Amino acid sequence: MRRFFGYGPALLVMLTVCVALLAAPTALRKVQISQLSAQVSLARASLQTAGALQENDDEYRLIAQSVMPGVVHIEASGGGRSFRQSSGSGWIWDEQGHIITNSHVVGNSSNVRVELSDGRIRTARLLGNDPATDIAVLKIDPGPGVIPLERATNLPLHVGEQVFAFGSPFGIKFSMSRGIVSGLGRSEAASFVNMQQGYTNFIQTDAAMNPGNSGGPIVNTRGQVVGMAAAIANNFPEFRRRISEDDLARIRDEETRNIINDLVRSLNEQPRGQSAGIGFAIPLETIESVVSQLIQTPDEPVLRGFLGVQMVADPTGRMMRQLGYEGGGVLISSVPDERPAARAGIRPNDIVLSIDQRPTPTSDVLRSIVSVIEPGREVPIVIWRDGEEMSLRVRIGAAVLRNGNPDYLPGSEMLSMDEIRRAAR
């Protein structure tokens, strides 16, 4: 007789193993789900207590509350014999109702409306305009709710510091974005706002800026203005579509005329490119120098500091090495007689390293720094000559722009501001 009872224990073991293999994944999943639930509960409980991120949010919210009431949205139209309509941003300068924006936002518009952060609409007057620095000043009636922004006057700005951009990107009013200072002393923005002949020394930031941000304030972590949005880098060419009022008048059919008018306005309002993480802002020191003059003497030309040198726009490394120097600096090609630089002892082939304790890596930066120094002020200038650094003192002269070029006022470095203004008329 065959014996089968000997296989019983083996079958029992096999059955147990199979059950275990089938049940193990389910049990493991339950353990994993239990652990995940515990992690979620712990994370949520931890987020209820104030941490670094929550503290950051609190600070950002305070910045928004501090700055937003001083930001405005601008709508501009009219301006001579050509059709023009544009929109942008601006910010309140003082309690007297002066508002700062970009020159390219308002141009010579005859109709300008300003919307305050609480929704009130004010009619604004174009008080002054300086296309060379892309700065314009508007004026509205003072009164309650006209809250000026604080300014970071004389506070240094460094690469890596956080900044916040306010404005109306794509017409979305009173928006805020965050980024850092990506670079200083940039002149590349000139090509984006048609300022090739202007004074350029821009702040570069990666804070999101789009069409409509122009004229809006850039502030630091204290909510103080450090600059004003002016341009963004993108791969769309800058363009404007215009039609003259005379052309419209020749169209006799009113309905057709209105359709064309609306079409042109729509084309003008279309955004030209978008943020690529490279935005440019006009530094506060340039703004303060120009705005104070546009407010105090709006009918007179803007006075600019003047050094009186001819510069090599883009010297090669070989040219600099031949003079025994490697690094950033401005190579002087000639020094006309009877100018501030000549009187200070600056010579051809000198390399300007800094002026007024500000580095001058390029000719554009040197030109822009000098332009905002008050005429008559004596400042230090560091140069490279004959293999070594030298420090000189130069008294800055004054110039006004005529036909796009600085026109030096002879002897202005020795005159008072009132005397300089009389000479400039």
Short mmCIF file of all heavy atoms in Angstrom, two decimals, residues 177-240:
data_model
loop_
_atom_site.label_atom_id
_atom_site.label_comp_id
_atom_site.label_asym_id
_atom_site.label_seq_id
_atom_site.Cartn_x
_atom_site.Cartn_y
_atom_site.Cartn_z
N SER A 177 6.10 91.62 -9.00
CA SER A 177 6.93 90.44 -9.25
C SER A 177 8.23 90.59 -8.49
O SER A 177 8.60 91.68 -8.05
CB SER A 177 7.19 90.25 -10.75
OG SER A 177 7.90 91.36 -11.28
N ARG A 178 8.93 89.47 -8.34
CA ARG A 178 10.15 89.47 -7.51
C ARG A 178 11.32 88.89 -8.30
O ARG A 178 11.15 88.01 -9.14
CB ARG A 178 9.90 88.64 -6.25
CG ARG A 178 11.11 88.50 -5.32
CD ARG A 178 10.70 87.78 -4.05
NE ARG A 178 10.26 86.41 -4.32
CZ ARG A 178 11.05 85.35 -4.31
NH1 ARG A 178 12.35 85.50 -4.08
NH2 ARG A 178 10.58 84.15 -4.57
N GLY A 179 12.51 89.39 -8.02
CA GLY A 179 13.73 88.86 -8.63
C GLY A 179 14.95 89.38 -7.90
O GLY A 179 14.86 89.82 -6.75
N ILE A 180 16.08 89.35 -8.58
CA ILE A 180 17.31 89.86 -8.00
C ILE A 180 17.96 90.85 -8.97
O ILE A 180 17.58 90.93 -10.14
CB ILE A 180 18.33 88.73 -7.69
CG1 ILE A 180 18.76 88.03 -8.99
CG2 ILE A 180 17.76 87.74 -6.69
CD1 ILE A 180 19.95 87.10 -8.81
N VAL A 181 18.91 91.59 -8.46
CA VAL A 181 19.73 92.43 -9.32
C VAL A 181 20.71 91.51 -10.03
O VAL A 181 21.57 90.89 -9.41
CB VAL A 181 20.48 93.50 -8.51
CG1 VAL A 181 21.42 94.30 -9.42
CG2 VAL A 181 19.51 94.43 -7.80
N SER A 182 20.57 91.41 -11.35
CA SER A 182 21.41 90.51 -12.13
C SER A 182 22.70 91.17 -12.61
O SER A 182 23.68 90.50 -12.93
CB SER A 182 20.64 89.98 -13.34
OG SER A 182 19.42 89.39 -12.96
N GLY A 183 22.68 92.49 -12.73
CA GLY A 183 23.86 93.20 -13.21
C GLY A 183 23.67 94.69 -13.05
O GLY A 183 22.56 95.19 -12.89
N LEU A 184 24.77 95.42 -13.10
CA LEU A 184 24.76 96.88 -12.98
C LEU A 184 25.57 97.48 -14.14
O LEU A 184 26.43 96.82 -14.72
CB LEU A 184 25.35 97.32 -11.64
CG LEU A 184 24.61 96.86 -10.38
CD1 LEU A 184 25.45 97.16 -9.14
CD2 LEU A 184 23.25 97.51 -10.27
N GLY A 185 25.29 98.72 -14.46
CA GLY A 185 26.05 99.40 -15.50
C GLY A 185 25.81 98.85 -16.88
O GLY A 185 26.71 98.86 -17.73
N ARG A 186 24.60 98.39 -17.16
CA ARG A 186 24.29 97.82 -18.47
C ARG A 186 23.90 98.93 -19.45
O ARG A 186 23.09 99.80 -19.13
CB ARG A 186 23.15 96.83 -18.38
CG ARG A 186 23.36 95.69 -17.39
CD ARG A 186 24.55 94.85 -17.74
NE ARG A 186 24.49 93.57 -17.06
CZ ARG A 186 25.52 92.75 -16.93
NH1 ARG A 186 26.69 93.09 -17.43
NH2 ARG A 186 25.40 91.60 -16.28
N SER A 187 24.44 98.86 -20.65
CA SER A 187 24.06 99.80 -21.69
C SER A 187 23.27 99.13 -22.81
O SER A 187 22.75 99.79 -23.70
CB SER A 187 25.31 100.46 -22.29
OG SER A 187 26.17 99.47 -22.85
N GLU A 188 23.13 97.79 -22.73
CA GLU A 188 22.47 97.05 -23.81
C GLU A 188 21.00 97.43 -23.97
O GLU A 188 20.43 97.26 -25.05
CB GLU A 188 22.58 95.54 -23.55
CG GLU A 188 23.99 94.98 -23.63
CD GLU A 188 24.76 95.14 -22.32
OE1 GLU A 188 24.26 95.81 -21.40
OE2 GLU A 188 25.87 94.60 -22.23
N ALA A 189 20.38 97.94 -22.90
CA ALA A 189 18.95 98.26 -22.98
C ALA A 189 18.67 99.40 -23.94
O ALA A 189 17.53 99.58 -24.37
CB ALA A 189 18.42 98.62 -21.60
N ALA A 190 19.68 100.18 -24.29
CA ALA A 190 19.45 101.34 -25.15
C ALA A 190 18.78 100.95 -26.46
O ALA A 190 17.91 101.67 -26.97
CB ALA A 190 20.78 102.04 -25.44
N SER A 191 19.14 99.80 -27.01
CA SER A 191 18.58 99.39 -28.29
C SER A 191 17.11 99.02 -28.20
O SER A 191 16.40 99.03 -29.19
CB SER A 191 19.36 98.20 -28.85
OG SER A 191 19.28 97.09 -27.98
N PHE A 192 16.63 98.73 -26.98
CA PHE A 192 15.25 98.31 -26.82
C PHE A 192 14.30 99.50 -26.63
O PHE A 192 13.10 99.35 -26.74
CB PHE A 192 15.11 97.35 -25.64
CG PHE A 192 15.85 96.07 -25.83
CD1 PHE A 192 17.05 95.85 -25.19
CD2 PHE A 192 15.36 95.08 -26.67
CE1 PHE A 192 17.75 94.67 -25.36
CE2 PHE A 192 16.04 93.90 -26.85
CZ PHE A 192 17.25 93.70 -26.20
N VAL A 193 14.83 100.66 -26.28
CA VAL A 193 13.97 101.84 -26.11
C VAL A 193 14.46 102.99 -26.99
O VAL A 193 14.18 104.15 -26.72
CB VAL A 193 13.91 102.28 -24.63
CG1 VAL A 193 13.11 101.30 -23.82
CG2 VAL A 193 15.30 102.46 -24.04
N ASN A 194 15.22 102.66 -28.04
CA ASN A 194 15.67 103.66 -29.01
C ASN A 194 16.44 104.79 -28.33
O ASN A 194 16.20 105.96 -28.56
CB ASN A 194 14.47 104.22 -29.78
CG ASN A 194 14.90 104.98 -31.03
OD1 ASN A 194 15.95 104.68 -31.60
ND2 ASN A 194 14.12 105.95 -31.45
N MET A 195 17.39 104.41 -27.47
CA MET A 195 18.17 105.39 -26.73
C MET A 195 19.65 105.31 -27.09
O MET A 195 20.53 105.54 -26.26
CB MET A 195 18.02 105.18 -25.22
CG MET A 195 16.71 105.67 -24.66
SD MET A 195 16.60 105.32 -22.89
CE MET A 195 18.04 106.20 -22.27
N GLN A 196 19.96 104.97 -28.32
CA GLN A 196 21.37 104.81 -28.70
C GLN A 196 22.17 106.08 -28.44
O GLN A 196 23.36 106.03 -28.19
CB GLN A 196 21.47 104.42 -30.18
CG GLN A 196 21.10 102.97 -30.47
CD GLN A 196 19.61 102.79 -30.64
OE1 GLN A 196 18.83 103.69 -30.34
NE2 GLN A 196 19.20 101.63 -31.12
N GLN A 197 21.52 107.24 -28.50
CA GLN A 197 22.21 108.50 -28.26
C GLN A 197 21.96 109.02 -26.84
O GLN A 197 22.29 110.14 -26.52
CB GLN A 197 21.74 109.55 -29.27
CG GLN A 197 21.96 109.16 -30.72
CD GLN A 197 23.42 108.88 -31.03
OE1 GLN A 197 24.30 109.62 -30.59
NE2 GLN A 197 23.69 107.82 -31.77
N GLY A 198 21.35 108.19 -26.01
CA GLY A 198 20.99 108.64 -24.66
C GLY A 198 22.05 108.29 -23.63
O GLY A 198 23.14 107.81 -23.94
N TYR A 199 21.69 108.55 -22.36
CA TYR A 199 22.59 108.27 -21.24
C TYR A 199 22.14 106.96 -20.63
O TYR A 199 21.05 106.86 -20.07
CB TYR A 199 22.52 109.41 -20.23
CG TYR A 199 23.14 110.68 -20.75
CD1 TYR A 199 22.42 111.55 -21.57
CD2 TYR A 199 24.46 111.01 -20.44
CE1 TYR A 199 22.99 112.72 -22.06
CE2 TYR A 199 25.04 112.18 -20.93
CZ TYR A 199 24.30 113.02 -21.74
OH TYR A 199 24.87 114.17 -22.22
N THR A 200 22.97 105.93 -20.73
CA THR A 200 22.56 104.59 -20.35
C THR A 200 23.49 104.02 -19.30
O THR A 200 24.70 104.01 -19.46
CB THR A 200 22.56 103.66 -21.58
OG1 THR A 200 23.87 103.63 -22.13
CG2 THR A 200 21.58 104.14 -22.63
N ASN A 201 22.91 103.55 -18.21
CA ASN A 201 23.66 102.93 -17.13
C ASN A 201 22.68 102.08 -16.35
O ASN A 201 22.43 102.30 -15.17
CB ASN A 201 24.28 104.01 -16.23
CG ASN A 201 25.12 103.44 -15.13
OD1 ASN A 201 25.61 102.32 -15.22
ND2 ASN A 201 25.26 104.18 -14.04
N PHE A 202 22.09 101.09 -17.01
CA PHE A 202 20.91 100.42 -16.49
C PHE A 202 21.22 99.36 -15.44
O PHE A 202 22.28 98.74 -15.45
CB PHE A 202 20.13 99.77 -17.63
CG PHE A 202 19.46 100.74 -18.55
CD1 PHE A 202 20.11 101.23 -19.66
CD2 PHE A 202 18.18 101.19 -18.30
CE1 PHE A 202 19.50 102.14 -20.52
CE2 PHE A 202 17.55 102.09 -19.13
CZ PHE A 202 18.21 102.57 -20.24
N ILE A 203 20.23 99.14 -14.58
CA ILE A 203 20.20 98.00 -13.67
C ILE A 203 19.57 96.83 -14.44
O ILE A 203 18.54 97.00 -15.09
CB ILE A 203 19.35 98.30 -12.42
CG1 ILE A 203 19.91 99.51 -11.67
CG2 ILE A 203 19.27 97.09 -11.51
CD1 ILE A 203 18.93 100.10 -10.66
N GLN A 204 20.18 95.67 -14.37
CA GLN A 204 19.59 94.47 -14.96
C GLN A 204 18.96 93.63 -13.87
O GLN A 204 19.55 93.45 -12.80
CB GLN A 204 20.64 93.65 -15.70
CG GLN A 204 20.08 92.38 -16.34
CD GLN A 204 21.17 91.48 -16.90
OE1 GLN A 204 22.27 91.94 -17.21
NE2 GLN A 204 20.88 90.20 -17.02
N THR A 205 17.75 93.14 -14.10
CA THR A 205 17.07 92.30 -13.12
C THR A 205 16.32 91.18 -13.81
O THR A 205 15.92 91.30 -14.97
CB THR A 205 16.07 93.14 -12.27
OG1 THR A 205 15.38 92.28 -11.38
CG2 THR A 205 15.06 93.86 -13.14
N ASP A 206 16.12 90.07 -13.07
CA ASP A 206 15.31 88.99 -13.61
C ASP A 206 13.89 89.00 -13.05
O ASP A 206 13.12 88.08 -13.29
CB ASP A 206 15.97 87.63 -13.35
CG ASP A 206 16.03 87.27 -11.86
OD1 ASP A 206 15.71 88.13 -11.01
OD2 ASP A 206 16.40 86.12 -11.55
N ALA A 207 13.53 90.06 -12.29
CA ALA A 207 12.14 90.21 -11.88
C ALA A 207 11.28 90.31 -13.13
O ALA A 207 11.61 91.04 -14.07
CB ALA A 207 11.97 91.46 -11.01
N ALA A 208 10.18 89.58 -13.16
CA ALA A 208 9.36 89.52 -14.37
C ALA A 208 8.85 90.90 -14.75
O ALA A 208 8.20 91.59 -13.96
CB ALA A 208 8.17 88.58 -14.16
N MET A 209 9.20 91.35 -15.98
CA MET A 209 8.74 92.61 -16.53
C MET A 209 8.27 92.36 -17.94
O MET A 209 8.92 91.64 -18.70
CB MET A 209 9.89 93.64 -16.51
CG MET A 209 10.26 94.11 -15.11
SD MET A 209 11.90 94.90 -15.01
CE MET A 209 11.83 96.06 -16.35
N ASN A 210 7.14 92.96 -18.28
CA ASN A 210 6.54 92.78 -19.60
C ASN A 210 6.06 94.13 -20.12
O ASN A 210 6.07 95.12 -19.38
CB ASN A 210 5.37 91.79 -19.50
CG ASN A 210 5.83 90.36 -19.26
OD1 ASN A 210 6.31 89.69 -20.16
ND2 ASN A 210 5.68 89.90 -18.02
N PRO A 211 5.65 94.19 -21.39
CA PRO A 211 5.07 95.45 -21.88
C PRO A 211 3.95 95.92 -20.95
O PRO A 211 3.06 95.16 -20.60
CB PRO A 211 4.53 95.05 -23.26
CG PRO A 211 5.42 93.94 -23.70
CD PRO A 211 5.73 93.17 -22.46
N GLY A 212 4.04 97.16 -20.53
CA GLY A 212 3.11 97.71 -19.55
C GLY A 212 3.78 97.98 -18.23
O GLY A 212 3.31 98.79 -17.42
N ASN A 213 4.92 97.31 -17.96
CA ASN A 213 5.69 97.59 -16.75
C ASN A 213 6.48 98.89 -16.87
O ASN A 213 6.92 99.46 -15.85
CB ASN A 213 6.67 96.46 -16.45
CG ASN A 213 6.09 95.37 -15.59
OD1 ASN A 213 5.81 94.28 -16.07
ND2 ASN A 213 5.90 95.65 -14.31
N SER A 214 6.68 99.37 -18.10
CA SER A 214 7.51 100.56 -18.31
C SER A 214 7.03 101.72 -17.44
O SER A 214 5.85 102.05 -17.41
CB SER A 214 7.46 100.99 -19.77
OG SER A 214 8.12 100.05 -20.58
N GLY A 215 7.97 102.34 -16.74
CA GLY A 215 7.66 103.47 -15.88
C GLY A 215 7.37 103.08 -14.45
O GLY A 215 7.29 103.94 -13.57
N GLY A 216 7.20 101.77 -14.19
CA GLY A 216 6.90 101.33 -12.84
C GLY A 216 8.13 101.29 -11.96
O GLY A 216 9.26 101.17 -12.45
N PRO A 217 7.96 101.39 -10.65
CA PRO A 217 9.10 101.41 -9.75
C PRO A 217 9.71 100.03 -9.53
O PRO A 217 9.01 99.02 -9.54
CB PRO A 217 8.51 101.95 -8.44
CG PRO A 217 7.08 101.46 -8.47
CD PRO A 217 6.68 101.52 -9.92
N ILE A 218 11.01 100.01 -9.32
CA ILE A 218 11.74 98.83 -8.86
C ILE A 218 12.19 99.15 -7.44
O ILE A 218 12.86 100.17 -7.22
CB ILE A 218 12.96 98.52 -9.74
CG1 ILE A 218 12.55 98.42 -11.22
CG2 ILE A 218 13.64 97.24 -9.28
CD1 ILE A 218 11.62 97.30 -11.54
N VAL A 219 11.82 98.32 -6.47
CA VAL A 219 12.11 98.64 -5.07
C VAL A 219 12.96 97.55 -4.43
O VAL A 219 13.02 96.42 -4.92
CB VAL A 219 10.80 98.84 -4.26
CG1 VAL A 219 9.89 99.86 -4.93
CG2 VAL A 219 10.06 97.52 -4.05
N ASN A 220 13.60 97.92 -3.33
CA ASN A 220 14.41 96.97 -2.57
C ASN A 220 13.57 96.30 -1.48
O ASN A 220 12.35 96.49 -1.42
CB ASN A 220 15.65 97.65 -2.00
CG ASN A 220 15.30 98.81 -1.05
OD1 ASN A 220 14.17 98.91 -0.55
ND2 ASN A 220 16.26 99.68 -0.80
N THR A 221 14.22 95.55 -0.62
CA THR A 221 13.48 94.82 0.42
C THR A 221 12.96 95.74 1.51
O THR A 221 12.22 95.29 2.39
CB THR A 221 14.39 93.74 1.05
OG1 THR A 221 15.63 94.33 1.48
CG2 THR A 221 14.69 92.64 0.05
N ARG A 222 13.33 97.01 1.48
CA ARG A 222 12.75 97.99 2.40
C ARG A 222 11.56 98.72 1.77
O ARG A 222 11.00 99.62 2.39
CB ARG A 222 13.81 99.01 2.82
CG ARG A 222 15.01 98.42 3.56
CD ARG A 222 15.96 99.54 3.97
NE ARG A 222 17.12 99.04 4.68
CZ ARG A 222 18.26 98.68 4.10
NH1 ARG A 222 18.37 98.79 2.79
NH2 ARG A 222 19.28 98.24 4.82
N GLY A 223 11.23 98.37 0.54
CA GLY A 223 10.15 99.06 -0.15
C GLY A 223 10.55 100.41 -0.69
O GLY A 223 9.70 101.23 -1.02
N GLN A 224 11.86 100.65 -0.83
CA GLN A 224 12.37 101.93 -1.32
C GLN A 224 12.73 101.82 -2.80
O GLN A 224 13.30 100.81 -3.24
CB GLN A 224 13.61 102.35 -0.52
CG GLN A 224 13.35 102.52 0.96
CD GLN A 224 14.65 102.64 1.74
OE1 GLN A 224 15.65 102.00 1.43
NE2 GLN A 224 14.64 103.46 2.78
N VAL A 225 12.43 102.87 -3.56
CA VAL A 225 12.70 102.85 -4.99
C VAL A 225 14.20 102.87 -5.25
O VAL A 225 14.93 103.72 -4.71
CB VAL A 225 12.04 104.06 -5.69
CG1 VAL A 225 12.40 104.08 -7.18
CG2 VAL A 225 10.52 104.03 -5.52
N VAL A 226 14.67 101.93 -6.06
CA VAL A 226 16.07 101.91 -6.48
C VAL A 226 16.20 102.15 -7.97
O VAL A 226 17.30 102.41 -8.48
CB VAL A 226 16.75 100.57 -6.12
CG1 VAL A 226 16.77 100.36 -4.62
CG2 VAL A 226 16.07 99.40 -6.83
N GLY A 227 15.08 102.08 -8.70
CA GLY A 227 15.13 102.29 -10.14
C GLY A 227 13.73 102.31 -10.73
O GLY A 227 12.73 102.18 -10.02
N MET A 228 13.67 102.46 -12.04
CA MET A 228 12.40 102.50 -12.76
C MET A 228 12.49 101.62 -14.00
O MET A 228 13.42 101.75 -14.80
CB MET A 228 12.06 103.95 -13.16
CG MET A 228 10.79 104.08 -13.98
SD MET A 228 10.26 105.81 -14.16
CE MET A 228 11.64 106.51 -15.09
N ALA A 229 11.51 100.74 -14.16
CA ALA A 229 11.49 99.82 -15.31
C ALA A 229 11.50 100.60 -16.61
O ALA A 229 10.77 101.57 -16.77
CB ALA A 229 10.26 98.93 -15.23
N ALA A 230 12.34 100.16 -17.55
CA ALA A 230 12.46 100.88 -18.82
C ALA A 230 12.35 99.98 -20.03
O ALA A 230 11.82 100.39 -21.06
CB ALA A 230 13.79 101.63 -18.87
N ALA A 231 12.85 98.74 -19.95
CA ALA A 231 12.89 97.90 -21.14
C ALA A 231 13.06 96.45 -20.75
O ALA A 231 13.51 96.13 -19.65
CB ALA A 231 14.03 98.33 -22.07
N ILE A 232 12.70 95.57 -21.67
CA ILE A 232 12.97 94.14 -21.52
C ILE A 232 13.71 93.65 -22.75
O ILE A 232 13.59 94.22 -23.83
CB ILE A 232 11.67 93.33 -21.33
CG1 ILE A 232 10.72 93.53 -22.51
CG2 ILE A 232 10.99 93.69 -20.02
CD1 ILE A 232 9.50 92.64 -22.46
N ALA A 233 14.48 92.62 -22.57
CA ALA A 233 15.17 92.01 -23.70
C ALA A 233 14.28 90.93 -24.28
O ALA A 233 13.80 90.05 -23.57
CB ALA A 233 16.50 91.40 -23.24
N ASN A 234 14.04 90.99 -25.57
CA ASN A 234 13.28 89.94 -26.25
C ASN A 234 13.69 89.93 -27.71
O ASN A 234 14.47 90.76 -28.16
CB ASN A 234 11.77 90.16 -26.10
CG ASN A 234 11.32 91.49 -26.66
OD1 ASN A 234 11.49 91.78 -27.85
ND2 ASN A 234 10.75 92.35 -25.80
N ASN A 235 13.16 88.96 -28.43
CA ASN A 235 13.55 88.82 -29.84
C ASN A 235 12.53 89.45 -30.78
O ASN A 235 12.49 89.12 -31.96
CB ASN A 235 13.74 87.35 -30.19
CG ASN A 235 12.48 86.52 -29.95
OD1 ASN A 235 11.49 87.05 -29.45
ND2 ASN A 235 12.54 85.24 -30.27
N PHE A 236 11.70 90.37 -30.26
CA PHE A 236 10.76 91.08 -31.09
C PHE A 236 11.29 92.48 -31.35
O PHE A 236 11.65 93.19 -30.41
CB PHE A 236 9.39 91.19 -30.41
CG PHE A 236 8.63 89.91 -30.41
CD1 PHE A 236 8.93 88.90 -29.50
CD2 PHE A 236 7.60 89.70 -31.31
CE1 PHE A 236 8.23 87.73 -29.49
CE2 PHE A 236 6.89 88.51 -31.30
CZ PHE A 236 7.20 87.52 -30.40
N PRO A 237 11.35 92.93 -32.59
CA PRO A 237 11.81 94.29 -32.85
C PRO A 237 10.85 95.31 -32.30
O PRO A 237 9.64 95.10 -32.29
CB PRO A 237 11.88 94.37 -34.38
CG PRO A 237 10.88 93.34 -34.84
CD PRO A 237 10.93 92.23 -33.82
N GLU A 238 11.40 96.42 -31.82
CA GLU A 238 10.57 97.52 -31.34
C GLU A 238 9.95 98.22 -32.54
O GLU A 238 10.61 98.53 -33.52
CB GLU A 238 11.43 98.52 -30.55
CG GLU A 238 10.68 99.71 -30.01
CD GLU A 238 9.77 99.34 -28.85
OE1 GLU A 238 9.89 98.21 -28.36
OE2 GLU A 238 8.95 100.17 -28.47
N PHE A 239 8.63 98.46 -32.49
CA PHE A 239 8.01 99.15 -33.61
C PHE A 239 6.80 99.92 -33.11
O PHE A 239 6.26 99.66 -32.06
CB PHE A 239 7.57 98.15 -34.69
CG PHE A 239 6.50 97.19 -34.23
CD1 PHE A 239 5.16 97.47 -34.44
CD2 PHE A 239 6.86 96.03 -33.58
CE1 PHE A 239 4.19 96.58 -34.01
CE2 PHE A 239 5.89 95.15 -33.15
CZ PHE A 239 4.55 95.41 -33.36
N ARG A 240 6.38 100.89 -33.89
CA ARG A 240 5.16 101.64 -33.60
C ARG A 240 4.43 101.84 -34.91
O ARG A 240 5.04 102.17 -35.92
CB ARG A 240 5.48 103.00 -32.97
CG ARG A 240 5.90 102.91 -31.52
CD ARG A 240 6.00 104.31 -30.93
NE ARG A 240 6.27 104.24 -29.52
CZ ARG A 240 7.49 104.21 -29.01
NH1 ARG A 240 8.53 104.25 -29.80
NH2 ARG A 240 7.68 104.15 -27.71
#
